[in-house]
């Protein structure tokens, strides 16, 4: 027998005084952690299989369960943490590339938490959002640079196509395949009700969801899964996926085992085959080539829909976005290095890219300096956790944000970070029908709408406090921001002053 | 009824706007690099182009018919879903990128990355027939469909450049040649075609001969190499959950 080098990270703790052996935990755990011992009339657990998703904890009728991190440790070592050691063990055992999911969990600065907002006092009155109109609506798309008149002197009112959002928050790309049918249905219905958009990701669009087309952004990635005329025509906007914050420079790869009958239908590939979207679009090697793809999509949809280009935030992001703004794209989405994923190589997720806060500030400044800020709308993504992060992103220069993880949390995700294993006990990152059923879209969509409603109120309150009654007036308004505990370089990169410095 | 447009001085935007509005037979004269012609066009259009259309001809096309009397450029039939494109000349790179249905016939040769990312699903099975040779990376990441390279001017070697079928995990490539292509990666099986294999391509080779001329016995009778993926999951063993 080979030795098992790895001691489980989590321990399943059961209070036997409380446990009534109802076996609910056993039925609910897709990882088969819990087991009932008939002869002893006792529940036992195999800690090694537990992914710490809290499903059993939530379901236990007598609150007999909790999951605690193990206190079993290696000898103290600053350089070699347990995680580093175990990763070596895993690779020595399997020879495989480490695969993880959700956003980068490592200790990097979260700049959102080092930025504070301004508020009005005395000289500049704040606004009471409960009494006065507040505008959180935004329009995404290229804006006209000047007023144009026809030969007869009349105003030309035809503008580039725009997306109208009731609040500057959209649901980011999550493919059907990486998340479930019920998760997609929840996102689609919530977008419709909240007046925003969800994004199909690169997995195609299920025919049942064509009816939500007016609130759907469809994605076109290098593999072009599920891309065809009707898919493009149904959508409100089309997003070209060039990159993703969790895995810059790395493509998508849905393993054949996740390509069941339904996923096969929307991706338009046979069941059981791998769905491979390599990192490079092999027809794009320059901004000029990107322009060709942008315009091919515009031509295919008669210039009726905005085209979004999504990239990962990397070192040279400002120059890249400056190019994208000239490619004819209407919107650029920038995904920071903390952005989530259904599956990404661990090393890439944890080591590649730059923080969205810095990327966003740099992009906004660069586009302003070049006088092309209005040519393109900027959407920030990757680790937006709250309405405060939204406000800060807008003040740093975003027109709107994408949220992924926050939306999944609203649907019940407990951030166990094992989406890649396809056994999500919350019915989100899985295609197993018995698990998918656990996510009721009637409830799921309401929870998402609640989240959007609550954030909208909070956004209005924060804006009111600053004496701003329209979100457009906050965009790029960095005087509303102050840094705390940041170095000079960090402040310069973010384009903000330190707390205590006055305007 | 047919409509004749002159592309001269129009630019792609104005030309394509007109093409979008028309149905039936549309003749475009003086084409000189206008891009995106017939983007997402449906079966109610049949288009004849005299000249040299620009990149992304017939992208996302969904049932229309295009004949080009001349050469075409890059990305012909990008993500095409249905219909037929007939090129009386050469084409550039990325011919039929991610094509998922319909047929493209090219009388002469095509450039790099021909048929890359082609896919098939149920009755949707895209086909590309190239009369001459192709550039490197033929059928890269190919996941379905059929590519036939007739190599009509070759000296016996497979005139398809290098790295044929890299990342291929579905579909089939037929190369008419005495010798097999070089650099075939290990996840692709390359073998000489039997007579039975040729049944799969005869319909398309006959159509090629009907469109462009050529002796069907000579085209079909010669040696062919068949390339197919030996796994639908080339990267299965690569990862470890962490
Ligand atoms: S995997 Fe989830 S459901 Fe199973 S024991 Fe652990 S916390 Fe409970
Ligand atoms: S759900 Fe709670 S009470 Fe029921 S068997 Fe599990 S631990 Fe015991
Ligand atoms: S979606 Fe499911 S599997 Fe993924 S982190 Fe959330 S609870 Fe875990």
């Amino acid at each position: 027998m080979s030795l098992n080098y790895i001691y489980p990270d989590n321990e399943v703790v059961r209070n036997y005084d409380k446990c009534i052996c109802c076996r609910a935990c056993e039925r609910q755990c897709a990882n088969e952690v819990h087991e009932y011992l008939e002869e002893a009339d006792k529940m036992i657990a195999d800690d090694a299989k537990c992914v710490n998703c809290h499903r059993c904890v939530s379901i236990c009728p007598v609150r007999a369960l909790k999951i605690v991190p193990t206190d079993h440790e290696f000898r103290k070592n600053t350089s070699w943490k347990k995680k580093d050691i175990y990763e070596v063990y895993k690779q020595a055992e399997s020879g495989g590339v480490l695969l993880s999911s959700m956003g980068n969990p490592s200790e990097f600065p979260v700049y959102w938490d080092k930025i504070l907002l301004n508020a009005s006092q005395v000289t500049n009155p704040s606004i009471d959002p409960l009494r006065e109109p507040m505008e959180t609506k935004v329009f995404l798309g290229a804006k006209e640079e000047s007023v144009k008149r026809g030969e007869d002197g009349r105003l030309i009112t035809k503008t580039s196509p725009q997306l109208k959002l009731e609040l500057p928050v959209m649901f980011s790309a999550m493919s059907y395949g990486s998340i479930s049918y019920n998760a997609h249905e929840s996102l689609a219905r919530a977008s419709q009700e909240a007046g925003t958009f969800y994004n199909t990701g690169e997995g195609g669009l299920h025919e049942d969801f064509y009816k939500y087309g007016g609130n759907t952004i469809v994605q076109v990635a290098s593999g072009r899964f599920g891309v065809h005329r009707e898919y493009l025509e149904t959508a409100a906007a089309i997003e070209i996926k060039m990159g993703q914050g969790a895995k810059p420079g790395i493509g998508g790869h849905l393993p054949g085992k996740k390509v069941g009958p339904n996923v096969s239908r929307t991706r338009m590939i046979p069941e059981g085959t791998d769905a491979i979207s390599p990192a490079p679009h092999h027809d794009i090697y320059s901004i000029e080539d990107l322009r060709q793809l942008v315009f091919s999509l515009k031509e295919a949809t008669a210039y009726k829909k905005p085209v979004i280009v999504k990239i990962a935030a990397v070192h040279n992001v400002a120059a890249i976005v400056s190019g994208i703004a000239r490619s004819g794209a209407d919107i650029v989405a920038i995904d920071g290095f903390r952005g989530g994923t259904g599956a990404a190589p661990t090393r890439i997720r944890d080591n590649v890219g730059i923080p969205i806060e810095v990327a966003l500030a740099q992009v906004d400044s660069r586009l302003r300096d070049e006088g092309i800020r209005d040519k393109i709308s900027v959407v920030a993504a990757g680790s937006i956790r709250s309405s405060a992060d939204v406000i800060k992103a807008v003040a740093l220069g975003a027109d709107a944000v994408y949220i992924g993880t926050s939306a999944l949390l609203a649907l019940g995700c407990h951030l166990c970070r094992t989406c890649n294993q396809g056994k999500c006990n919350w019915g989100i990152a899985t295609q197993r029908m018995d698990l998918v059923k656990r996510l009721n879209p009637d409830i799921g969509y309401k929870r998402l709408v609640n989240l959007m409603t609550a954030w909208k109120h909070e956004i209005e309150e924060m804006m009111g406090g600053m004496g701003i009654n329209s979100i457009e007036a906050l965009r790029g308004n960095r005087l509303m921001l102050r840094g705390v505990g940041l170095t000079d370089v960090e402040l310069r990169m973010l384009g903000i002053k330190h707390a205590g410095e006055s305007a | 009824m047919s409509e004749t447009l002159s592309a001269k001085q129009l630019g792609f935007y104005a030309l394509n706007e007109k093409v979008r509005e028309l149905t039936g037979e549309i003749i475009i004269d003086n084409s000189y690099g206008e891009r995106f012609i017939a983007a997402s066009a449906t079966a109610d259009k049949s288009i004849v182009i005299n000249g040299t259309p620009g990149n992304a001809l017939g992208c996302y096309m969904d049932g229309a018919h295009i004949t080009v009397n001349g050469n075409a450029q890059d990305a012909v039939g990008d993500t095409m879903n249905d219909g037929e494109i007939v090129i009386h000349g050469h084409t550039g790179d990325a011919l039929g990128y991610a094509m998922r249905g319909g047929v493209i016939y090219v009388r002469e040769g095509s450039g790099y990355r021909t048929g890359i990312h082609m896919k098939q699903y149920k009755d949707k099975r895209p086909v590309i027939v190239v009369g001459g040779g192709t550039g490197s990376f033929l059928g890269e990441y190919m996941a379905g469909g059929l590519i036939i390279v007739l190599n009509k001017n070759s000296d016996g070697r497979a005139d398809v450049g290098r790295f044929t079928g890299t990342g291929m995990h579905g579909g089939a490539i037929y190369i008419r040649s005495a010798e097999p292509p070089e650099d075939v990666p290990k996840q692709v099986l390359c073998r000489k075609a039997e007579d039975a294999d040729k049944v799969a391509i005869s319909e398309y080779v006959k159509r090629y001969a009907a469109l462009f001329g050529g002796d069907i016995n000579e085209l079909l009778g010669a040696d062919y190499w068949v390339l197919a993926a030996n796994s639908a999951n080339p990267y299965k063993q690569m990862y470890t959950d962490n």
Side-chain angles (χ1 to χ4, degrees):
Chain A
M1 183 191 133
S2 72
L3 282 177
N4 188 356
Y5 285 29
I6 298 189
Y7 188 87
D9 282 337
N10 311 299
E11 287 172 14
V12 180
V13 178
R14 192 184 324 266
N15 183 332
Y16 284 103
D17 290 340
K18 289 185 178 174
C19 175
I20 52 173
C21 287
C22 70
R23 301 178 69 174
C25 49
E26 186 186 23
R27 288 189 295 275
Q28 289 281 321
C29 178
N31 296 303
E32 298 174 354
V33 171
H34 302 277
E35 194 190 331
Y36 176 63
L37 291 185
E38 194 97 57
E39 54 282 21
D41 185 29
K42 187 179 174 189
M43 297 296 300
I44 54 164
D46 180 355
D47 295 341
K49 294 184 192 154
C50 176
V51 300
N52 197 358
C53 73
H54 295 188
R55 180 73 188 184
C56 59
V57 176
S58 304
I59 221 85
C60 174
V62 293
R63 287 193 216 286
L65 287 167
K66 63 178 174 180
I67 314 294
V68 296
T70 181
D71 54 7
H72 169 75
E73 278 298 338
F74 286 92
R75 192 163 178 197
K76 277 237 176 314
N77 190 325
T78 310
S79 177
W80 287 93
K81 302 234 162 51
K82 183 157 128 187
K83 171 175 173 289
D84 305 310
I85 298 170
Y86 277 178
E87 286 174 352
V88 169
Y89 290 163
K90 282 182 193 169
Q91 294 194 290
E93 176 84 24
S94 67
V97 168
L98 297 171
L99 197 67
S100 293
S101 30
M102 299 311 273
N104 185 341
S106 314
E107 283 174 39
F108 285 95
V110 177
Y111 288 110
W112 302 129
D113 295 339
K114 297 178 178 226
I115 296 175
L116 294 172
L117 297 169
N118 195 22
S120 312
Q121 297 293 294
V122 186
T123 53
N124 169 12
S126 45
I127 303 169
D128 178 0
L130 296 178
R131 231 164 27 89
E132 301 193 37
M134 298 294 278
E135 193 54 90
T136 59
K137 224 177 253 154
V138 290
F139 291 86
L140 303 183
K143 306 294 183 296
E144 297 306 317
E145 284 159 47
S146 55
V147 175
K148 290 203 184 84
R149 290 182 187 276
E151 281 172 10
D152 55 0
R154 286 178 185 277
L155 279 179
I156 298 176
T157 52
K158 193 169 168 257
T159 55
S160 313
Q162 306 281 323
L163 289 183
K164 181 176 143 198
L165 281 60
E166 289 300 325
L167 78 170
V169 181
M170 302 186 287
F171 301 125
S172 59
M174 291 178 274
S175 71
Y176 177 46
S178 73
I179 61 170
S180 65
Y181 179 96
N182 287 0
H184 253 210
E185 180 178 335
S186 305
L187 289 164
R189 287 167 61 185
S191 304
Q192 196 172 53
E193 182 135 335
T196 184
F197 298 84
Y198 84 109
N199 187 316
T200 61
E202 56 182 297
L205 179 61
H206 198 286
E207 68 241 35
D208 296 355
F209 303 146
Y210 272 61
K211 58 176 181 277
Y212 304 109
N215 297 85
T216 306
I217 297 170
V218 296
Q219 216 178 37
V220 172
S222 64
R224 305 274 206 279
F225 292 103
V227 179
H228 56 106
R229 184 179 55 84
E230 287 160 45
Y231 171 80
L232 299 174
E233 281 177 359
T234 303
I238 303 165
E239 180 170 275
I240 298 171
K241 181 190 179 185
M242 295 303 301
Q244 182 179 345
K247 40 181 169 179
I250 294 283
H253 173 205
L254 191 71
K257 67 173 186 218
K258 289 197 189 171
V259 183
N262 271 318
V263 172
S264 138
R265 205 155 75 217
T266 64
R267 296 213 177 208
M268 300 168 132
I269 51 170
E271 277 178 52
T273 52
D274 284 4
I276 301 169
S277 259
H281 287 241
H282 279 298
D283 53 348
I284 299 181
Y285 289 91
S286 64
I287 293 294
E288 187 49 40
D289 290 344
L290 175 64
R291 187 177 173 82
Q292 178 177 312
L293 184 57
V294 168
F295 275 89
S296 80
L297 293 165
K298 292 191 172 209
E299 283 282 349
T301 51
Y303 296 85
K304 288 192 193 125
K305 300 164 201 291
V307 172
I308 307 169
V309 173
K310 179 179 180 181
I311 56 162
V314 291
H315 299 181
N316 238 349
V317 66
I320 295 163
V321 173
S322 157
I324 292 171
R326 292 173 168 88
S327 73
D330 302 273
I331 303 166
V332 61
I334 309 165
D335 197 12
F337 85 127
R338 279 186 182 279
T341 176
T346 309
R347 295 291 172 253
I348 304 286
R349 183 196 65 176
D350 294 355
N351 294 286
V352 182
I354 63 170
I356 185 60
E357 302 91 325
V358 177
L360 177 58
Q362 287 297 310
V363 163
D364 183 60
S365 302
R366 173 80 174 239
L367 296 177
R368 282 170 196 268
D369 289 350
E370 294 182 1
I372 53 172
R373 181 63 186 83
D374 289 337
K375 264 182 115 97
I376 195 159
S377 290
V378 176
V379 177
S383 80
I384 307 285
R385 302 156 304 174
S386 68
S387 60
D389 292 352
V390 177
I391 284 275
K392 292 170 189 176
V394 171
L396 280 176
D399 289 87
V401 304
Y402 264 143
I403 58 166
T405 304
S406 315
L408 296 189
L409 290 172
L411 291 176
C413 165
H414 278 58
L415 265 178
C416 68
R417 308 202 308 257
T418 54
C419 314
N420 52 314
Q421 296 172 19
K423 288 188 287 189
C424 175
N425 270 324
W426 295 92
I428 300 167
T430 181
Q431 298 302 323
R432 244 175 71 175
M433 266 330 287
D434 59 322
L435 301 177
V436 173
K437 266 195 337 227
R438 295 180 183 178
L439 174 59
N440 180 343
D442 291 336
I443 298 171
Y445 102 89
K446 281 202 189 115
R447 292 178 60 89
L448 287 165
V449 171
N450 283 346
L451 185 73
M452 291 299 96
T453 309
W455 284 20
K456 188 166 184 286
H457 284 312
E458 290 176 340
I459 289 169
E460 288 171 355
E461 274 183 356
M462 284 182 275
M463 279 167 42
M466 291 184 250
I468 288 173
N469 63 6
S470 155
I471 193 97
E472 300 262 339
L474 183 65
R475 197 189 78 199
N477 191 344
R478 296 194 210 164
L479 285 174
M480 291 296 141
L481 304 174
R482 287 293 185 274
V484 279
L486 296 175
T487 65
D488 280 353
V489 178
E490 288 170 317
L491 292 168
R492 185 153 50 82
M493 289 300 118
L494 291 165
I496 61 174
K497 291 176 186 292
H498 200 274
E501 290 182 277
S502 44
Chain B
M1 207 188 81
S2 87
E3 286 273 351
T4 304
L5 303 169
S6 172
K8 202 167 191 170
Q9 312 262 301
L10 267 188
F12 74 80
Y13 183 87
L15 174 66
N16 295 337
E17 200 169 32
K18 289 193 177 168
V19 173
R20 250 196 304 276
E21 282 159 13
L22 297 170
T23 54
E25 200 187 355
I26 306 162
I27 298 166
I28 301 174
D29 287 331
N30 309 314
S31 178
Y32 195 72
E34 295 80 14
R35 296 180 169 197
F36 320 115
I37 296 175
S40 77
T42 44
D44 55 0
K45 292 190 205 328
S46 174
I47 303 170
V48 177
I49 301 171
N50 297 312
T52 310
N55 292 356
L57 170 71
C59 55
Y60 319 101
M61 196 170 94
D62 199 12
H65 185 282
I66 301 178
T67 299
V68 177
N69 294 313
N71 298 322
Q73 299 189 351
D74 295 344
V76 172
D78 182 349
T79 323
M80 167 173 167
N81 196 45
D82 199 5
E84 188 180 63
I85 301 181
V86 177
I87 315 272
H88 291 265
H90 295 269
T91 67
D93 298 340
L95 169 69
Y97 185 122
M99 193 179 162
R100 65 173 76 260
V103 193
I104 300 178
Y105 293 96
V106 179
R107 194 186 72 201
E108 306 297 329
S110 63
Y112 280 75
R113 301 207 143 96
T114 295
I116 158 175
H117 282 304
M118 266 168 88
K119 299 185 167 52
Q120 70 187 53
Y121 179 63
K122 298 206 165 143
D123 59 330
K124 282 263 177 234
R125 185 158 175 267
V127 180
I128 294 178
V129 184
V130 175
T134 72
S136 297
F137 302 103
L138 171 66
E140 191 180 25
Y141 298 112
M142 188 171 171
L146 173 64
I147 301 177
I148 305 167
V149 181
L150 296 176
N151 247 319
K152 62 178 182 154
N153 306 318
S154 130
D155 55 4
R157 280 179 301 166
D159 182 15
V160 291
R162 302 180 62 194
F163 311 113
T164 305
T166 306
M168 181 175 181
H169 53 290
I173 304 176
Y174 282 68
I175 301 172
R176 181 171 162 275
S177 156
E179 288 173 34
E182 5 173 349
D183 297 329
V184 175
K186 67 174 188 297
Q187 91 282 3
V188 174
L189 294 171
C190 177
R191 61 180 174 83
K192 213 167 206 170
E194 313 273 330
D195 283 347
D197 293 315
K198 293 191 187 171
V199 175
I201 61 168
S202 72
E203 172 194 345
Y204 303 103
V205 178
K206 282 180 187 150
R207 170 98 176 125
Y208 177 91
L211 284 167
F212 305 121
D215 178 352
I216 185 69
N217 291 327
E218 201 183 302
L219 286 175
L220 213 47
D223 285 345
Y224 278 82
W225 293 87
V226 192
L227 279 69
N230 61 17
S231 162
N233 315 100
Y235 304 121
K236 197 162 73 193
Q237 295 307 333
M238 221 176 107
Y239 297 106
T240 297
D241 287 336
N242 182 36

